[in-house]
Amino acid sequence: MRAYDIIAKKRDGGDLSREEIDFLVQGFTAGEVKDYQMSAWAMAVFFRGMNPRETADLTMAMVHSGDMLDLKDIKGIKVDKHSTGGVGDKTTLVLAPLVSSAGVSVAKMSGRGLGHTGGTLDKLEAIPGFRIELTRQEFIANVNRIKIAVAGQTGNLVPADKKLYALRDVTATVNSVPLIASSVMSKKISSGADAIVLDVKTGSGAFMKTVDESFSLAEAMVEIGSLVGRKTTALVTDMDQPLGLAVGNALEVKEAIATLKGEGPADLTELCLALGGEMLVLAGVSSESGQAREHLSQVISSGAALEKFKEFVSAQGGDPRVADDPSLLPEAKYILPVLAEQSGFVQGIAAEAVGRCAMVLGAGRATKDSPIDSAVGIVLAKKRGSQVKAGDVLAYVHANHPVRAAQAVSEVKSAYFVQDGAPAKVPLVYGRVVPNGTFRF
């Protein structure tokens, strides 16, 4: 078997066998298949695509390229949630304690932010003392004791995906549904999840810009899950404006705490209830999502979700007092208002522009080695559909550098689109994808 023949077969539109995919992935991981050959194959896939069976085989070949996290010592079904990335997406900070306080074990491996999308680990590290590096024994012990642990990836998980993504990033082959789907699902499967809920973002602040593209990706990932024996459900959700009001690490932790108290923004609360409901159904705690959502609402109202957050923070070395006194979190030196220049309605907010502005302030990374400033970011005062008058505050910029602060005020102002007439309503959740079908709302 030769890499040349496999590349040519896919170039000409052929379907690759499992053995051919395994040969290519194993050889690439070992350095026997060269970067230029794998790049040529990725370009062939970009133009020719892969069928569901091929995509599932690619996923499992990447899973088997390294270690798999063994979570068999954790009691019960482990349900993971994955978001395809967005601006202000702090759902894990809410969902992990919320779902675990409803009786579901949450054993989650999370990542760091890069570019305009934030990372869960960076947000958690804004909490004084919080440790994201846990040994396997600590991780499992925490889940068995308090039903929750969130940590950074350990071990040699999916090395083939890391190598392949690095090539795709520099060869214009990132935006391929089978390659994206297999990349995401290989990480979730290798992390030991029994069931997976996917939050597939769509819109200006998302990786997939159109609703149809987002449904195609959701369907591909759900099909992979089904083919490899993992219960999988996906929701396609809006990212045409930032989620919630806060963008920035400590600012998002504050907003997550408010949401666990029942005082969070309506869109963040609604999305967490929707995703959490799916997690409870896959774990077998609830029979249907409506019942599950009601249960989660009661968990918030009772205060149990906030108490679980404190327990979770304490178990990983953080200061649980932040839940009652968010001023213990890092705070920026400068807070500058962004003022509307005209009256009208907010027609939209360029989510990616807001995310990139937060990155420039120091809340995100331009490269993987960039330092993070936990205190900085942006807090929106108005969102799509809000009526404003000239001079009203649209948002607040939180900064530690005066020049960057002034630049951010101008850029955030440019991200707002204000015109006469109320805009048409846009759904928060566009639809649901399950193994037996796609349901658009």
Side-chain angles (χ1 to χ4, degrees):
M1 196 176 294
R2 296 189 307 164
Y4 176 95
D5 299 318
I6 297 171
I7 295 165
K9 184 176 180 180
K10 179 49 66 178
R11 178 200 65 195
D12 296 337
D15 294 341
L16 302 181
S17 69
R18 177 180 297 176
E19 291 74 22
E20 288 170 324
I21 292 171
D22 285 345
F23 174 85
L24 198 68
V25 172
Q26 289 170 12
F28 178 55
T29 306
E32 296 159 2
V33 172
K34 304 303 180 185
D35 284 2
Y36 56 82
Q37 292 175 304
M38 204 65 177
S39 297
W41 174 81
M43 188 62 77
V45 171
F46 183 89
F47 284 112
R48 291 296 191 173
M50 300 182 88
N51 66 38
R53 191 271 308 157
E54 286 179 291
T55 309
D57 287 345
L58 174 61
T59 302
M60 294 311 294
M62 291 199 293
V63 169
H64 293 136
S65 71
D67 300 333
M68 288 185 69
L69 192 60
D70 183 1
L71 300 181
K72 69 177 184 297
D73 293 333
I74 294 177
K75 307 178 187 74
I77 296 175
K78 283 77 69 181
V79 183
D80 201 353
K81 186 276 303 181
H82 176 79
S83 168
T84 56
V87 179
D89 184 1
K90 71 284 294 178
T91 51
T92 294
L93 304 183
V94 179
L95 276 173
L98 176 59
V99 170
S100 64
S101 62
V104 175
S105 293
V106 178
K108 184 164 180 57
M109 292 291 168
S110 286
R112 297 194 179 278
L114 185 61
H116 74 280
T117 60
T120 297
L121 300 182
D122 300 316
K123 295 166 191 175
L124 288 170
E125 284 186 327
I127 301 171
F130 195 96
R131 287 194 305 127
I132 57 90
E133 294 181 2
L134 301 178
T135 66
R136 178 180 177 274
Q137 291 74 21
E138 288 175 318
F139 187 82
I140 290 173
N142 280 5
V143 179
N144 280 332
R145 182 169 59 86
I146 63 171
K147 290 192 173 294
I148 180 174
V150 179
Q153 180 176 302
T154 58
N156 187 34
L157 301 182
V158 286
D161 177 63
K162 295 185 184 72
K163 289 189 68 176
L164 179 56
Y165 188 87
L167 283 185
R168 289 166 55 210
D169 196 34
V170 295
T171 57
T173 53
V174 169
N175 197 18
S176 162
V177 166
L179 295 180
I180 297 168
S182 58
S183 175
V184 171
M185 293 300 288
S186 65
K187 289 190 280 282
K188 294 294 102 180
I189 292 165
S190 67
S191 295
D194 300 313
I196 304 162
V197 174
L198 299 163
D199 180 8
V200 182
K201 301 295 189 186
T202 190
S204 66
F207 189 72
M208 308 304 267
K209 304 299 183 185
T210 72
V211 173
D212 287 343
E213 286 177 333
S214 300
F215 271 105
S216 294
L217 178 58
E219 289 163 353
M221 292 193 290
V222 169
E223 191 149 25
I224 290 171
S226 297
L227 288 171
V228 303
R230 300 298 194 281
K231 296 178 180 178
T232 310
T233 296
L235 298 181
V236 174
T237 71
D238 179 57
M239 188 41 71
D240 224 18
Q241 64 176 345
L243 179 63
L245 301 174
V247 181
N249 299 293
L251 297 171
E252 292 188 47
V253 173
K254 290 180 183 180
E255 188 165 89
I257 291 168
T259 304
L260 290 167
K261 292 178 178 178
E263 301 167 358
D267 58 344
L268 176 60
T269 301
E270 172 65 19
L271 183 58
C272 288
L273 291 176
L275 293 169
E278 299 293 344
M279 294 173 76
L280 263 60
V281 170
L282 290 188
V285 172
S286 296
S287 58
E288 54 91 21
S289 57
Q291 178 190 62
R293 287 164 56 98
E294 180 59 32
H295 181 37
L296 292 173
S297 294
Q298 292 171 359
V299 167
I300 292 174
S301 299
S302 70
L306 186 65
E307 289 304 312
K308 181 61 69 174
F309 176 83
K310 294 178 186 178
E311 195 175 17
F312 160 54
V313 169
S314 181
Q316 295 195 209
D319 186 347
R321 295 179 301 163
V322 298
D324 298 313
D325 184 5
S327 69
L328 294 171
L329 292 163
E331 295 184 337
K333 294 177 184 176
Y334 307 100
I335 302 176
L336 301 180
V338 179
L339 304 180
E341 292 185 342
Q342 67 185 80
S343 300
F345 288 84
V346 177
Q347 305 292 320
I349 307 170
E352 185 170 346
V354 173
R356 292 199 179 280
C357 185
M359 181 187 75
V360 170
L361 287 170
R365 293 181 178 83
T367 71
K368 66 179 182 179
D369 299 319
S370 301
I372 286 287
D373 185 340
S374 295
V376 303
I378 297 147
V379 177
L380 308 180
K382 303 291 184 183
K383 295 195 72 174
R384 184 174 51 215
S386 298
Q387 187 171 12
V388 299
K389 295 179 181 178
D392 282 355
V393 175
L394 297 174
Y396 292 94
V397 169
H398 292 241
N400 281 327
H401 190 287
V403 174
R404 289 182 182 177
Q407 179 185 353
V409 167
S410 175
E411 291 178 357
V412 172
K413 186 180 296 185
S414 297
Y416 271 84
F417 303 101
V418 178
Q419 293 178 349
D420 293 336
K425 289 189 175 180
V426 175
L428 178 64
V429 180
Y430 283 87
R432 181 172 181 260
V433 179
V434 292
N436 64 349
T438 296
F439 304 91
R440 297 200 184 201
F441 301 155

